[in-house]
């Protein structure tokens, strides 16, 4: 799959190197209109993918904020309820459950911020880099294609 190949390849090339997308084809397939449509299609796909990744990043940030708020709310509720509840099993179980729930929500906040969002930003950077890359078509005379070649 070309999409997967480009995405994986761009991550292996250091950022200090310029990336050019070169397509090598036999001369008998040369068609400037098809080439222009292909470049437009590739650029459109990369722009669309970049927009969806940015949208996903915004959603993850909203989710992280929701986790943090829920965690703080649960912890505050536990602190407030602990002295108010009558002595007994309930007065120990309810606040402990709220503390656990609060800390789980805060852990999820950090998990989203430090792990998931970093990966999405990395993806965005890769797609931006691909989008900035020039696309070139090179045509070659093919006299004798190897056995099993698509040009045979």
């Amino acid at each position: 799959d070309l999409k997967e190949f480009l995405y994986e390849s761009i991550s292996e090339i250091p950022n200090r190197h310029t990336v050019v997308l070169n397509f090598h084809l036999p001369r008998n397939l040369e068609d400037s209109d098809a080439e222009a449509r292909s470049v437009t299609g590739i650029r459109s796909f990369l722009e669309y993918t970049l927009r969806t990744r940015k949208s996903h990043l915004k959603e993850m940030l909203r989710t992280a904020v929701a986790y943090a708020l829920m965690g703080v709310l649960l912890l505050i509720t536990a602190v407030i309820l602990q002295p108010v509840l009558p002595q007994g099993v309930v007065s120990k179980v309810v606040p402990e459950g709220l503390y656990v729930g609060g800390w789980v929500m805060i852990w999820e906040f950090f998990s989203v911020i430090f792990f998931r969002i970093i990966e999405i930003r990395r993806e965005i950077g890769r797609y931006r880099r691909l989008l900035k890359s020039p696309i070139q078509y090179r045509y070659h005379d093919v006299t004798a294609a190897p056995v099993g070649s698509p040009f045979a």
Side-chain angles (χ1 to χ4, degrees):
D1 184 41
L2 179 61
K3 174 187 97 171
E4 187 176 318
F5 173 76
L6 290 174
Y7 181 78
E8 293 301 322
S9 296
I10 197 80
S11 65
E12 295 175 7
I13 301 169
N15 287 334
R16 67 180 182 274
H17 296 295
T18 303
V19 174
V20 178
L21 304 179
N22 279 311
F23 293 95
H24 294 266
L25 300 168
R27 191 166 306 284
N28 66 334
L29 294 179
E30 192 169 355
D31 180 349
S32 58
D33 290 336
E35 191 177 306
R37 284 191 311 273
S38 174
V39 169
T40 300
I42 291 168
R43 296 259 182 249
S44 295
F45 166 76
L46 292 171
E47 288 169 352
Y48 166 78
T49 304
L50 190 57
R51 277 194 315 274
T52 59
R53 299 316 303 157
K54 285 179 178 179
S55 176
H56 188 64
L57 177 63
K58 288 178 185 176
E59 182 61 33
M60 294 299 288
L61 287 169
R62 282 192 288 269
T63 300
V65 168
Y67 285 149
L69 291 174
M70 182 61 78
V72 169
L73 181 66
L74 288 171
L75 291 174
I76 289 172
T77 304
V79 169
I80 292 171
L81 282 180
Q82 198 164 13
V84 176
L85 290 174
Q87 290 295 353
V89 174
V90 172
S91 68
K92 293 191 186 296
V93 172
V94 171
E96 286 299 319
L98 293 171
Y99 282 125
V100 169
W103 286 117
V104 167
M105 288 289 120
I106 290 173
W107 166 253
E108 281 301 313
F109 164 77
F110 285 115
S111 172
V112 169
I113 294 294
F114 292 118
F115 301 113
R116 295 184 205 157
I117 287 179
I118 288 172
E119 183 55 36
I120 293 171
R121 285 188 174 159
R122 219 177 267 135
E123 290 175 19
I124 288 171
R126 288 177 186 167
Y127 283 112
R128 278 188 180 142
R129 191 169 176 210
L130 281 169
L131 195 54
K132 290 178 185 175
S133 300
I135 300 172
Q136 300 174 350
Y137 286 82
R138 305 240 191 256
Y139 297 95
H140 306 281
D141 291 322
V142 179
T143 54
V147 176
S149 168
F151 305 121

